[in-house]
Amino acid sequence: MIKVTKEIIDECAKNLMFELAPGQRELILEDFSTVMAQIDFLKSIPGVDEAEPMTFPYREHQKILREDKPVRPLPSKEAIKNSPTRLGNQVKLPKVVGNKNDQVDE
């Protein structure tokens, strides 16, 4: 397996057109060290290579899953009737993404 080095991180950042801030390369390198240690631990588990991948976790429970059937959606008035704040026929939520210069309408 390839060893992740500062040079490889720099090359990947360049290929992805990222500029790394001072100290980021070391943080990424530290994260890769943690991931590689976890992979080494998983490889040490006896029989892990012979285990069948779990590509569909519900295979055992397929009989209890309902079959999808198309249904008519709720009318918007019915769907938002329990919302404490509305804007027309939409649910009004507080803004959670922005910057410190954004003004929030109350």
Side-chain angles (χ1 to χ4, degrees):
M1 188 174 296
I2 190 167
K3 181 170 175 23
V4 179
T5 63
K6 291 179 182 182
E7 292 76 22
I8 290 175
I9 292 170
D10 288 339
E11 182 181 341
C12 289
K14 180 183 168 198
N15 290 341
L16 294 169
M17 293 187 253
F18 285 128
E19 287 186 30
L20 296 176
Q24 281 185 317
R25 182 190 319 140
E26 289 73 21
L27 289 173
I28 293 169
L29 193 59
E30 187 178 315
D31 286 345
F32 266 106
S33 296
T34 302
V35 170
M36 298 310 286
Q38 291 171 344
I39 289 172
D40 288 340
F41 171 75
L42 292 174
K43 288 196 300 190
S44 72
I45 297 172
V48 75
D49 289 331
E50 290 80 36
E52 182 181 335
M54 193 170 159
T55 56
F56 186 71
Y58 305 111
R59 186 178 296 143
E60 301 290 321
H61 306 289
Q62 273 181 319
K63 292 183 171 85
I64 62 172
L65 295 176
R66 68 167 171 76
E67 187 172 325
D68 286 334
K69 295 179 184 171
V71 295
R72 185 173 290 280
L74 288 173
S76 59
K77 285 184 181 179
E78 182 72 20
I80 67 167
K81 73 179 183 182
N82 292 323
S83 172
T85 56
R86 292 177 222 136
L87 184 61
N89 66 345
Q90 300 175 344
V91 175
K92 184 178 178 187
L93 300 172
K95 187 172 185 175
V96 294
V97 177
N99 63 42
K100 62 184 174 186
N101 298 325
D102 287 343
Q103 299 217 348
V104 178
D105 296 332
E106 291 295 325

